């Protein structure tokens, strides 16, 4: 059974860059489209973007050009960088994998989520 | 972007009740609609994909229907573990987008 685990700082200062890593165990990262999703405290879900091991990426245009998603196949990890953060970026950040190799958004495997707070 | 609107935003019901949650898309999304369940402090769980296909391991008391712009999630007989927040999600167009959620509470 594949498992995902987010890691990274829980506190980021305004205007700085949020950096998170998702480590995948129990399966290879060299298939599937791997996503980041976030959820501000007490609010709904927002898809951030996905990456395929081949390097194909898509991200939510609402985040403009602040998002960078990369993959490290040698360590079975993928990462998120979100630049120029503000308090509005405070959220629980999840990494997730869909149910099939050709599916994008039907996420059946999730990390536990990590709360990132943007504050000085 | 496609906007998803759920109703109601919150709902009180009793164990054994039949409950329906509605999701409306701002444009036609064919049948590209998923439903997730989320409990406090936990990641969402995929219940139904492609409008009416039950994800493996999900009890048959959950069902989904609809097409185009209007969709429903029905819980035929509420169990104690069903009290949670439910989200619809359109996967017709990138970016995928979610409804605001429906919180199902115990009456």
């Amino acid at each position: 059974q594949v498992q995902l685990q987010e890691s990274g700082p829980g506190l980021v200062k305004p205007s700085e860059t949020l950096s998170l890593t998702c480590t995948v165990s129990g399966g290879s990262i060299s298939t599937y489209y791997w996503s980041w999703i976030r959820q501000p405290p007490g609010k709904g879900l927002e898809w951030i973007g996905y990456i395929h091991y081949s390097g194909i990426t898509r991200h939510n245009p609402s985040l403009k050009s602040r998002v960078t998603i990369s993959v490290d196949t040698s360590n079975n990890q993928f990462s998120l960088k979100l630049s120029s953060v503000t308090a509005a970026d405070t959220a629980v950040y999840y990494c997730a994998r869909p149910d099939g190799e050709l599916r994008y958004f039907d996420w059946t495997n999730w990390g536990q989520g990590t709360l990132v707070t943007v504050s000085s | 972007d496609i906007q998803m609107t759920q109703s109601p935003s919150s709902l009180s019901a009793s164990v054994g009740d039949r409950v329906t949650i509605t999701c409306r898309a701002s444009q036609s999304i064919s049948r590209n609609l998923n439903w997730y369940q989320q409990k406090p402090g936990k990641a969402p769980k995929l219940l139904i994909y492609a409008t009416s296909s039950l994800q493996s391991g999900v009890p048959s008391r959950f069902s989904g229907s609809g097409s185009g712009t209007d969709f429903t999630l029905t819980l035929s007989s509420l169990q104690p573990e069903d009290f949670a927040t439910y989200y619809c999600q359109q996967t017709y167009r990138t970016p995928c987008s979610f409804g605001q959620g429906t919180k199902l509470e115990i009456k």
Side-chain angles (χ1 to χ4, degrees):
Chain A
Q1 172 76 355
V2 67
Q3 293 187 321
L4 293 80
Q5 177 69 57
E6 305 91 351
S7 59
L11 181 64
V12 181
K13 290 182 168 56
S15 80
E16 295 191 344
T17 296
L18 178 159
S19 295
L20 295 174
T21 295
C22 182
T23 300
V24 179
S25 58
S28 174
I29 202 169
S30 296
T31 48
Y32 299 96
Y33 287 82
W34 303 87
S35 275
W36 288 99
I37 301 109
R38 71 179 182 178
Q39 184 172 36
K43 296 188 178 181
L45 298 160
E46 180 182 33
W47 174 71
I48 298 170
Y50 66 57
I51 189 163
H52 189 258
Y53 81 97
S54 62
I56 296 169
T57 60
R58 292 283 304 266
H59 68 268
N60 195 324
S62 68
L63 296 167
K64 297 186 170 57
S65 57
R66 297 195 295 133
V67 173
T68 302
I69 300 175
S70 59
V71 65
D72 178 355
T73 55
S74 61
N75 287 306
N76 236 32
Q77 296 176 328
F78 64 108
S79 298
L80 169 69
K81 292 188 186 297
L82 182 65
S83 63
S84 305
V85 297
T86 69
D89 295 310
T90 294
V92 174
Y93 286 76
Y94 295 100
C95 55
R97 194 204 81 176
D99 192 34
E101 293 182 16
L102 298 181
R103 309 273 278 274
Y104 299 106
F105 304 121
D106 306 333
W107 303 300
T108 52
N109 299 93
W110 294 71
Q112 65 186 29
T114 187
L115 174 63
V116 179
T117 301
V118 178
S119 175
S120 56
Chain B
D1 293 4
I2 297 175
Q3 309 303 316
M4 306 300 294
T5 304
Q6 286 180 236
S7 60
S9 295
S10 63
L11 176 59
S12 293
S14 302
V15 172
D17 283 354
R18 179 183 179 89
V19 166
T20 297
I21 298 170
T22 296
C23 180
R24 175 164 288 176
S26 60
Q27 64 183 79
S28 176
I29 58 170
S30 186
R31 290 175 58 84
N32 298 100
L33 191 285
N34 295 341
W35 290 97
Y36 290 86
Q37 176 194 67
Q38 187 178 32
K39 296 182 178 179
K42 300 295 186 183
K45 174 186 176 182
L46 180 64
L47 299 175
I48 289 173
Y49 62 95
T51 296
S52 58
S53 295
L54 208 60
Q55 181 63 28
S56 176
V58 174
S60 59
R61 63 180 180 272
F62 291 91
S63 64
S65 64
S67 67
T69 60
D70 295 314
F71 301 85
T72 58
L73 172 69
T74 300
L75 290 74
S76 60
S77 178
L78 277 174
Q79 298 302 301
E81 60 269 28
D82 298 337
F83 292 95
T85 300
Y86 293 84
Y87 293 94
C88 63
Q89 175 206 23
Q90 69 80 18
T91 63
Y92 180 76
R93 185 161 289 162
T94 302
C96 71
S97 50
F98 296 87
Q100 80 280 13
T102 295
K103 187 173 184 179
L104 179 53
E105 299 175 303
I106 300 175
K107 185 182 287 184

